[in-house]
Amino acid sequence: MSFTIYPAIDMLGGKCVRLEQGDFEKETVYGENPFEVAKGFAEAGASWIHMVDLDGAKQGAKQNAEHVLRVAQELECQVQIGGGIRTEEDVRFYLDQGVDRVIIGSLAVRDPERTKSLLAKYGDKIAIGLDARDGYVSTEGWLESSTVTAVDLGKELADAGASTFIYTDIAKDGMLEGPNVKEIVRLAEQTKVNVIASGGIQGLEDLHELKKYQTEHVIGSIVGKALYANRFTLKEALEVEES
């Protein structure tokens, strides 16, 4: 089973930004043009790019779709998108126009049955985003907390055919303090579903640590702030895939 690095592009107001712990008041702008940032990632050799529509996540409807579609249609890499995807129409909108995978987050908590029907219809074209604070899933761009644990929701959706989870520990996101390896591995072990780690990557050693669990369904890592803060280059991160 391979291990994949997913460089991240979070979009807010049409710009490439990073937030600390999902806090919209703690925003740093790293690029005025998401396409140009994505182009740089593709030219460095990324096979996937992870994109998040933060405006969409907050408002409940896609807001930065034009940037996502341009990346998907013009660059030689695969694209996954999350944020503001609440309906089957949203899913079809992206998949029909070249996006490779859509990420369902808030909908999975609010309407598990509809999520299960989407999984049945679109299969591995859908990833489930499990964004957790103290083990409980948060929704609406991390602004709302639920009473559902990431592991319990993961088990339920694994039984319904989910093939990929993206697990984010909100407390770690954007903090450069290392990922929550314990919870990432626990989710993979409990669900037997592929898990992409997100949040907290600070150095190449974190990627090597996560890769140790690739035979236990930890299949990749999203890397954001560490790249933008020049903790390491994307080329160096991609070398972990081959190591």
Side-chain angles (χ1 to χ4, degrees):
M1 188 177 296
S2 62
F3 187 86
T4 302
I5 302 298
Y6 295 78
I9 296 175
D10 291 3
M11 297 167 292
L12 188 66
K15 299 178 181 180
C16 178
V17 310
R18 297 301 296 173
L19 306 180
E20 288 186 10
Q21 299 178 324
D23 188 339
F24 284 83
E25 301 300 318
K26 296 180 180 178
E27 165 199 337
T28 303
V29 176
Y30 286 102
E32 298 291 327
N33 188 323
F35 177 79
E36 291 302 321
V37 176
K39 184 179 178 182
F41 289 157
E43 290 174 347
S47 58
W48 277 91
I49 293 179
H50 172 81
M51 303 187 77
V52 180
D53 183 349
L54 292 172
D55 298 292
K58 189 175 183 180
Q59 298 179 32
K62 57 187 181 295
Q63 302 293 317
N64 289 280
E66 68 273 18
H67 303 295
V68 180
L69 297 184
R70 187 180 178 200
V71 171
Q73 294 167 5
E74 297 186 26
L75 298 180
E76 293 295 322
C77 56
Q78 294 178 284
V79 174
Q80 63 183 20
I81 174 65
I85 299 170
R86 302 288 194 271
T87 67
E88 183 173 356
E89 288 72 24
D90 293 332
V91 172
R92 285 206 314 268
F93 172 86
Y94 283 120
L95 294 181
D96 287 349
Q97 297 187 79
V99 172
D100 298 278
R101 189 156 62 204
V102 298
I103 304 163
I104 291 175
S106 296
L107 181 65
V109 179
R110 291 204 329 267
D111 197 339
E113 295 310 312
R114 180 179 295 181
T115 301
K116 291 173 186 177
S117 71
L118 291 173
L119 287 169
K121 188 169 185 178
Y122 296 100
D124 62 6
K125 293 289 185 180
I126 289 179
I128 303 297
L130 298 174
D131 304 331
R133 197 188 304 273
D134 298 323
Y136 290 89
V137 179
S138 292
T139 63
E140 315 306 324
W142 301 352
L143 297 175
E144 303 290 337
S145 296
S146 75
T147 58
V148 181
T149 71
V151 168
D152 286 344
L153 182 59
K155 287 180 177 179
E156 182 179 352
L157 295 177
D159 289 342
S163 62
T164 306
F165 292 132
I166 298 173
Y167 181 85
T168 304
D169 185 324
I170 296 170
K172 296 284 189 178
D173 193 69
M175 301 305 291
L176 297 174
E177 295 177 350
N180 189 338
V181 177
K182 180 180 178 181
E183 286 303 307
I184 293 162
V185 173
R186 189 166 82 94
L187 178 65
E189 290 176 342
Q190 292 286 318
T191 63
K192 302 296 189 289
V193 167
N194 291 338
V195 176
I196 300 170
S198 176
I201 299 298
Q202 63 177 332
L204 295 173
E205 66 275 10
D206 294 326
L207 301 179
H208 284 292
E209 178 67 18
L210 288 167
K211 191 180 179 184
K212 292 178 183 178
Y213 299 96
Q214 63 181 320
T215 58
E216 299 169 52
H217 300 286
V218 178
I219 63 160
S221 178
I222 293 166
V223 181
K225 190 169 183 179
L227 283 179
Y228 296 107
N230 298 313
R231 292 295 184 94
F232 49 79
T233 66
L234 180 55
K235 182 177 182 294
E236 288 172 327
L238 293 173
E239 288 172 354
V240 177
E241 293 183 348
E242 309 300 326
S243 64

